[in-house]
Amino acid sequence: MQEEEMCCCHKHKERSEKEYRDLINRLNRIEGQIRGIKGMVEKDAYCPDILIQVAAANAALNSFNKVLLANHIKTCVTDDIRAGKEETVDELVKVLQKLMK
């Protein structure tokens, strides 16, 4: 794997098999939660029960974001800073601002 292939500045990232599997497993669980919420609405479930499940799905998405962000900082951001690509810090700041809305 070449160094350029790992760089996020090309808007592409090759992930290790472990990182890929972890992210996909998390997304599959979130997808299941969303299907469960849809089923609850279709079955006229009690609103607070649905809201609790929505909160759980939001927490799962936030957890996914934390893992993905940590991986991004540890690889792409760190590599770009070492390579003198300071604009990556600006990009990270913009992403963090969007995540904190």
Side-chain angles (χ1 to χ4, degrees):
M1 185 173 345
Q2 292 179 338
E3 187 69 28
E4 278 189 350
E5 292 175 20
M6 298 275 303
C7 176
C8 289
C9 61
H10 294 102
K11 307 299 181 203
H12 181 264
K13 165 120 188 316
E14 288 193 22
R15 293 175 173 80
S16 69
E17 183 63 29
K18 182 184 180 315
E19 181 184 0
Y20 173 81
R21 266 290 117 215
D22 179 53
L23 293 173
I24 293 298
N25 287 339
R26 286 172 180 271
L27 289 171
N28 286 338
R29 285 192 299 271
I30 293 165
E31 184 180 28
Q33 286 177 296
I34 300 302
R35 279 195 308 270
I37 293 166
K38 181 181 177 190
M40 291 175 78
V41 171
E42 290 170 342
K43 294 175 185 171
D44 296 325
Y46 189 53
C47 295
D49 294 339
I50 297 171
L51 291 167
I52 290 168
Q53 292 306 310
V54 170
N58 281 331
L61 279 169
N62 285 334
S63 179
F64 176 87
N65 275 348
K66 288 176 192 176
V67 169
L68 189 61
L69 180 61
N71 289 341
H72 178 61
I73 292 169
K74 289 176 184 177
T75 58
C76 301
V77 174
T78 302
D79 291 345
D80 280 0
I81 290 171
R82 286 183 183 139
K85 298 175 184 173
E86 297 294 325
E87 64 274 8
T88 300
V89 174
D90 294 331
E91 178 187 62
L92 178 61
V93 169
K94 287 178 187 174
V95 168
L96 289 172
Q97 288 171 340
K98 288 179 181 181
L99 289 174
M100 292 182 185
K101 282 187 176 182

